[in-house]
Amino acid sequence: MTTSIPTCREVEPDIIAMAAAEASPAAIRRVESHVAGCAECRTELGQYRALEGMVLDLRGAPAPGRGPTLARAELENRLTDLRSRLVRFGVFDSVLGPILIGATEHGVSVVEYLPSRASVGVKLARGGADAVEDRARTEGLYRELAEYLEGRRNRLDWPLDFRLARGDFQRRVLEATARLPYGAVASYAGIAREIGAPRASRAVAQALRRNPVPIVVPCHRVVGSDGDLVGYAGNRVGLKQRLLALEGIRTAGGRKGYHIERDAVYYRHLDDSEYCLPTCGSIGTKPLGEFTLYASRTRAEAVGLAPCTSCRPDLHALPA
Amino acid sequence: MGRVMADQAFEAVVAVHHAEIHRYLARVTRRPSDADDLSQETFLRAFRAHGALPPGSNVRAWLFTIATNLCRNHWRSEARRRRAHEAMGSRDERHDAGGPEGEAVLEQANIRVTEVVGALPLKQRLAFTMRKIHELEYAEIGESLGCSGESARAHVFQALRKIRRALGDLAIAPLGAGEPRA
C-alpha cells in the first residue's frame, strides 16, 4: 500500500466526498495527509463544506415555480378519465387457442380469440380504447375462464363494460343474450322478440357477430331459426359447437356445418313456465324462434321451469 | 375485486409521491408549466405500467426514473426547437427559471445556487438534483440515467465542482448551516 501524498488534482474527488460526508476511511486519510501540507486544498475543503450547507438549505426551500397543487388537481382529472378508458389486457393460451381478455375499471370489455399470439391489439386499437398489457390483473379472469372451458364452472359472473358497444340496440341484444343460462339455446328470432324487436333477427345476428365479449356474453347459445350453428368468431363454428357440447347441447353435422339435434333437447314455448319433450303437442309445427331449448331437465329446472303435465318429461327422459 | 384494490393502491402512490416528483421536475426544467406537464405525464405513464411492476419494487425510484426519462426527452425536443428558433433569430428564453412567487420565496443564496444548477448540462443537473435535493442512492440515480452508480456519482461530483467554481469564494466564516448568505 502506497503512502505517498496525493496531488491536488488527485485529491479533489476525495475532498468533495468528504465534504458530503460520504468518503471512505481511505479517502479521508488521503485528504488529511494532503491538506496537512496544502493550505489551498484545506480552504477548498472548507468551501465544499459551505456548499453542502447551501445545498442543505436548498433541500428545505420550495422549488421554483408555482407548486404542485394545480398540477395535482389536473392530474387527478386526467387519471379519472384514463382509468375509465384504459383497457388492461392479457393474452393466454386456452384450450381454444390464444385468447385475449381485457378489462377497464368498469368491467370486462373485450374477449377475443386470436389467430395467433402475434395478432394482439387489432381489436384494441379500434374504438378509441387505450390499452396496456397487464397480465397480473387479468390472470384471475383467465383462471375462471379456463375452469369454465374445462367444465368445472358454469358461470362467469364478471362485471361487464359495454361502453364500446355500437349503440343502444347492440347493448340490448348483448344484455338479452347474457341472460341465457348455461345449457340453454335460443334463436336470433327469439332474442329479437325478447328485446321487443321481433322483426329484427338479422340485425340481432349482426349485433352478436360483433359481440365484444364472446363466451361471457354467450352468443354461442344463439342459433339460426332452423337450428343451424351459424356464424361464430368469423367462421369458426367449430368453436360454437365445442362450447355448446360443453354445456350438454347435442349437435350433429361436420365439415359443412352443425345443427342442434332437435329431438335431443327439451323445449320451452315463449314464456311458458313448463318445459316439454320435443314430441309434445304442436312443437314440431311451430318455428324454432318461439322456443328456448335446454340440454337437460336439470338445466330447465335450474331456471324454475316445471315439467309439462301432458308430455311428462319428468317420466320420459330423453336418452342421454 | 383485485382491479379496484390496485387502483386504490395507485391513488396512494399519487398521494405519497406527486409533490416530490413535481418538486424535482420544477428544479430540473426551465418553465413552471414543464414541471406541471411532465409530472402529469410521469403519473399517467406510471398508472399504465404499475400493474406490471413486480411486488416489492421501489416505487419512488421507479417514478424518478420515469420523470428523468421524460425530462431528457423533453429537453432533446426543446433543444431542437431552440436551435430552430435561433436559426430564425428568435430570442433564447432558457433563463426563465421559475415564476415570480417562487423567486420571492427563495433566499438569495438559494437563487444563486439554483441559477448555477440551472446552467449545468442536463445529466449533471439531474444527477445533482436527485442526489442532493432528493437524497437518492447513486445506484438509483444510475438506474434513472441509464448508467452505473459510479458514473452517476461522477456526474454529481462534476456538478459540485462546477457549482463550486461558479460561486467563487463562499465566505465561509459567516456562513452557518441554514443561515442566509449576505
Side-chain angles (χ1 to χ4, degrees), chain A residues 212-252:
Chain A
V213 281
I215 307 177
V216 197
V217 167
C219 57
H220 61 273
R221 294 178 197 149
V222 188
V223 300
S225 295
D226 46 8
D228 284 354
L229 273 56
V230 287
Y232 191 74
N235 56 359
R236 301 173 68 188
V237 284
L239 287 180
K240 193 164 182 166
Q241 187 271 334
R242 281 181 71 174
L243 288 168
L244 287 173
L246 193 64
E247 303 181 22
I249 298 282
R250 294 193 6 215
T251 54

Side-chain angles (χ1 to χ4, degrees), chain A residues 238-309:
Chain A
L239 287 180
K240 193 164 182 166
Q241 187 271 334
R242 281 181 71 174
L243 288 168
L244 287 173
L246 193 64
E247 303 181 22
I249 298 282
R250 294 193 6 215
T251 54
R255 276 233 173 106
K256 288 177 70 185
Y258 297 90
H259 57 267
I260 303 282
E261 281 195 48
R262 293 171 67 163
D263 49 6
V265 287
Y266 296 89
Y267 286 65
R268 174 202 197 179
H269 188 240
L270 299 175
D271 295 324
D272 282 0
S273 58
E274 295 184 341
Y275 68 95
C276 304
L277 292 167
T279 47
C280 184
S282 53
I283 284 176
T285 65
K286 287 181 176 140
L288 196 66
E290 293 183 12
F291 295 94
T292 307
L293 313 176
Y294 294 90
S296 65
R297 295 184 296 183
T298 316
R299 295 294 167 215
E301 282 166 23
V303 294
L305 300 181
C308 169
T309 47

Side-chain angles (χ1 to χ4, degrees), chain A residues 111 113 123 162 165-167 169-180 185-192 194-195 200-224 230-234 240:
Chain A
V111 170
Y113 301 106
K123 191 169 210 150
F162 285 152
R166 297 159 198 233
F169 181 82
Q170 191 188 19
R171 195 184 319 256
R172 275 158 50 216
V173 170
L174 294 174
E175 281 164 2
T177 305
R179 286 193 293 272
L180 273 177
V185 166
S187 64
Y188 298 111
I191 297 291
E194 173 80 17
I195 62 166
S201 52
R202 287 183 83 87
V204 167
Q206 281 302 312
L208 287 179
R209 207 161 69 84
R210 301 199 177 106
N211 175 10
V213 281
I215 307 177
V216 197
V217 167
C219 57
H220 61 273
R221 294 178 197 149
V222 188
V223 300
V230 287
Y232 191 74
K240 193 164 182 166

